[in-house]
Amino acid sequence: MPENTAAIAPSPNGILLVDKPGGVTSHDIVARARRALGTRKVGHAGTLDPMATGLLVLGVGPATRLLTFVVGLDKTYEATIRLGVTTDSDDADGTPTATADPAVLAAASDAQIAAGVAALTGDISQVPSTVSAIKVDGKRAYDLARAGEVVELKARAVTVGRFDVLATRRTVGAIDLDVVVDCTSGTYIRALARDLGAGLGIGGHLTALRRTRIGPFSVADAAELAPGAALASPAHVASEVLGALPVTADEARDLRHGKRLLGAAPRLEGLATATPAAIDPEGRLIGILERRGADLKSAMNMAQEQS
């Protein structure tokens, strides 16, 4: 029989930036990516609510292991907050539970709103929204809340680096604020809307949310989710997130074999993190390094990329 010389297409391996539309879940996008890319091994770095749009960072193939370093990065959101109405989910998908007195709403000045925003900027303590993905005794908070159970979540420390009001629109029964927020991972923009309204005594909830940035990744660079979509290489992504430490071919081989780079710890000086990406002379990601005394070793080896 003639030998089959057909080339076997390499399995997809990399990071894909997707602009999620509204009305679908993050899991829906993962399912679409699995079909489009022909692999089951797809994950994401942080969910977006069905109502929300914007940036999802998808890991494909072995590069899914890099998502753990992306999840905790700072993020930027554009949002619309509606003051004057409270909902049980702190967003527009919920049921209204309270409406502000028209006279009290009309008395809420721009200066008071600005002061409320300022109080929610910087290092703050925030109680996440009840309808959230946080687990309570092994179950998602939103599942417990939808089942009618009382959910009490603990406050957490977050940092809101920027909370700017871009536009204010006053209508009958509501004040709509278009805002932009830079924040640490784990910050709930719905909770900011709720707490801003509560602080003003008029209630509030979120009516629109768009994530535009995760760490160095921008929604402006999102690609179309389609067969053959170009993936960012693991080496590029790891270098962007963790910084790159070039290694020789011999060092790359040693790292893959579990050996340490003896006396190499001083090479970390000047790098953004203490866990950089080891990049070989051909530009491939070998693994993520960590310090062990005076040495460096691979804390996580990556599948060998094809050059």
Side-chain angles (χ1 to χ4, degrees), residues 185-307:
S185 180
T187 304
Y188 282 83
I189 311 303
R190 284 179 292 160
L192 288 180
R194 175 200 67 203
D195 293 345
L196 177 60
L200 292 167
I202 53 179
H205 69 282
L206 205 63
T207 61
L209 181 66
R210 180 169 176 76
R211 186 160 65 196
T212 59
R213 180 187 65 88
I214 300 176
F217 308 114
S218 170
V219 72
D221 298 321
E224 182 179 356
L225 184 52
L231 305 180
S233 73
H236 171 74
V237 172
S239 297
E240 284 285 299
V241 174
L242 299 170
L245 182 70
V247 296
T248 67
D250 288 341
E251 289 174 330
R253 183 188 62 249
D254 287 345
L255 289 169
R256 287 197 182 281
H257 291 164
K259 295 181 180 180
R260 298 187 181 196
L261 303 185
L262 300 179
R267 290 161 63 178
L268 294 177
E269 294 182 12
L271 296 180
T273 70
T275 55
I279 308 295
D280 76 4
E282 297 186 27
R284 297 174 299 194
L285 174 63
I286 303 303
I288 309 302
L289 301 180
E290 65 180 3
R291 182 170 187 160
R292 290 293 180 88
D295 307 331
L296 295 178
K297 73 178 299 289
S298 183
M300 185 181 77
N301 271 345
M302 294 295 295
Q304 189 164 351
E305 298 177 62
Q306 296 187 358
S307 56

Side-chain angles (χ1 to χ4, degrees), residues 12-241:
N13 179 25
I15 297 293
L16 182 65
L17 307 183
V18 175
D19 187 350
K20 186 187 93 66
V24 297
T25 68
S26 298
H27 183 72
D28 290 335
I29 299 300
V30 168
R32 293 178 186 178
R34 287 170 174 164
R35 291 192 296 269
L37 301 174
T39 179
R40 292 287 303 168
K41 198 165 186 180
V42 179
H44 62 75
T47 61
L48 282 173
D49 294 332
M51 181 190 81
T53 68
L55 183 60
L56 275 179
V57 177
L58 301 185
V60 183
T64 55
R65 301 184 70 193
L66 294 176
L67 295 178
T68 187
F69 301 102
V70 177
V71 170
L73 297 176
D74 290 357
K75 300 170 176 65
T76 297
Y77 295 91
E78 296 174 354
T80 299
I81 295 172
R82 173 157 293 175
L83 299 175
V85 179
T86 303
T87 73
D88 58 3
S89 64
D90 302 327
D91 64 17
D93 285 341
T95 301
T97 58
T99 302
D101 179 272
V104 176
L105 183 66
S109 67
D110 290 349
Q112 289 173 324
I113 293 172
V117 167
L120 294 170
T121 305
D123 297 329
I124 64 172
S125 179
Q126 181 187 75
V127 176
S129 296
T130 300
V131 183
S132 69
I134 294 174
K135 287 189 175 181
V136 180
D137 295 330
K139 297 182 180 180
R140 299 291 185 185
Y142 55 69
D143 287 332
L144 295 173
R146 288 164 185 163
E149 296 188 31
V150 177
V151 180
E152 295 184 2
L153 299 177
K154 295 181 180 179
R156 57 173 61 184
V158 298
T159 299
V160 178
R162 174 173 59 152
F163 189 177
D164 291 343
V165 177
L166 304 180
T168 303
R169 296 181 298 280
R170 293 176 179 267
T171 59
V172 176
I175 302 172
D176 286 340
L177 308 176
D178 293 334
V179 303
V180 60
V181 177
D182 292 338
C183 57
T184 53
S185 180
T187 304
Y188 282 83
I189 311 303
R190 284 179 292 160
L192 288 180
R194 175 200 67 203
D195 293 345
L196 177 60
L200 292 167
I202 53 179
H205 69 282
L206 205 63
T207 61
L209 181 66
R210 180 169 176 76
R211 186 160 65 196
T212 59
R213 180 187 65 88
I214 300 176
F217 308 114
S218 170
V219 72
D221 298 321
E224 182 179 356
L225 184 52
L231 305 180
S233 73
H236 171 74
V237 172
S239 297
E240 284 285 299
V241 174

